[in-house]
Amino acid sequence: MIDRKPARRLPALLASATVTRAATTVLRSRAPGGPDRWQRKNYAGRAVELYAGPAAALGAAAGAVALPARTRAAAALAVLAAGACGAYDDTAGEGDPRRGFRAHLGALRDGEVTSGAVKLFGISVAGLAAGALLKERPVDKLLAGVVIAGTAHFVNLVDVRPGKAAGAVVALGAPGLLRRGTAGALAAASVGAAAAVLPDDIGERAMIGDAGAHALGAALGTAIAAGNGRLGLTAHAAALVAAAVCGERVSAVAGSRG
């Protein structure tokens, strides 16, 4: 049954969008580390800002503040950890041509800890911890963790052109707005933050980077995990693993051509 009461969803949507826009303005005005640290060249060689990524992470987490304590803690842990790991890769991994899990795991096997490996393991651990907060049974905790971390990586995987990642979160999260309870509010938080950065992202004035893509993906994954039982979690986890395998193959082919 569709829950038509907007009590939790509308405040979550507005809070996440408002905090995202406000955080973007504050970061732009203060530019921690200097403005140059927050500039990147996009795929077309245009100079774009990186403020939107951390701002989206803060906004998505803020959208869950009115939820029950365990759900709020799960969302904050997943989103902020994913955003922090992504931000680390945005800075420490700048210029690293390696792409895909296999490349970073291969480097780790050779004794090199890449920023991509830190991101992979950091988001995975945070996803599992968040899943443990959301679910009661061990199997469900594990599946929820896979869904949260997997969605974070999936959204980053589709971040290949302006607006793709944020647009994917809006499109995939919109049906969740029809859910009742915490799942609907969590979906609203992810959609609100993604919608707030989408105009600047599409307009090629900003880039959400790994920080924004992973944080928004983790927020969406938390909503999916909260709204599904074991069967739904299993189906989502299987789809995300399949997407990761396909993405790994695409990265390998792109790397061999590069």
Side-chain angles (χ1 to χ4, degrees):
M1 187 174 81
I2 296 176
D3 179 18
R4 300 186 184 279
K5 296 180 181 179
R8 283 185 173 176
R9 289 164 295 178
L10 183 57
L13 184 75
L14 293 177
S16 61
T18 300
V19 170
T20 299
R21 296 303 301 176
T24 301
T25 300
V26 170
L27 287 171
R28 185 182 293 123
S29 65
R30 297 187 178 180
D36 290 344
R37 187 175 183 179
W38 297 86
Q39 297 290 326
R40 291 292 186 276
K41 297 288 186 181
N42 69 0
Y43 77 104
R46 297 187 179 93
V48 293
E49 301 175 343
L50 276 179
Y51 306 114
L58 293 173
V65 295
L67 297 179
R70 287 176 67 89
T71 304
R72 182 171 66 246
L77 174 60
V79 172
L80 296 180
C85 290
Y88 175 70
D89 195 33
D90 282 335
T91 54
E94 185 183 6
D96 190 342
R98 287 170 292 196
R99 295 291 182 270
F101 299 151
R102 185 177 301 177
H104 292 291
L105 291 175
L108 187 62
R109 187 173 56 248
D110 294 334
E112 181 187 0
V113 181
T114 65
S115 60
V118 171
K119 181 178 68 175
L120 170 61
F121 287 107
I123 292 175
S124 297
V125 170
L128 290 170
L133 288 170
L134 286 177
K135 301 297 181 181
E136 297 296 330
R137 297 180 180 276
V139 173
D140 297 335
K141 292 175 185 286
L142 176 62
L143 288 170
V146 172
V147 168
I148 294 168
T151 308
H153 291 301
F154 171 77
V155 171
N156 186 62
L157 184 68
V158 302
D159 188 24
V160 293
R161 285 291 186 273
K164 292 292 186 182
V169 171
V170 171
L172 296 173
L177 299 178
L178 300 178
R179 286 187 174 273
R180 61 170 65 239
T182 57
L186 288 168
S190 65
V191 170
V197 298
L198 193 54
D200 285 342
D201 194 5
I202 291 178
E204 299 187 42
R205 296 180 293 275
M207 176 189 293
I208 64 172
D210 281 8
H214 282 296
L216 290 173
L220 178 61
T222 304
I224 294 170
N228 281 275
R230 185 169 300 175
L231 183 60
L233 289 172
T234 302
H236 280 93
L240 288 164
V241 170
V245 171
C246 291
E248 186 69 22
R249 290 176 179 172
V250 170
S251 295
V253 171
S256 65
R257 290 177 178 174

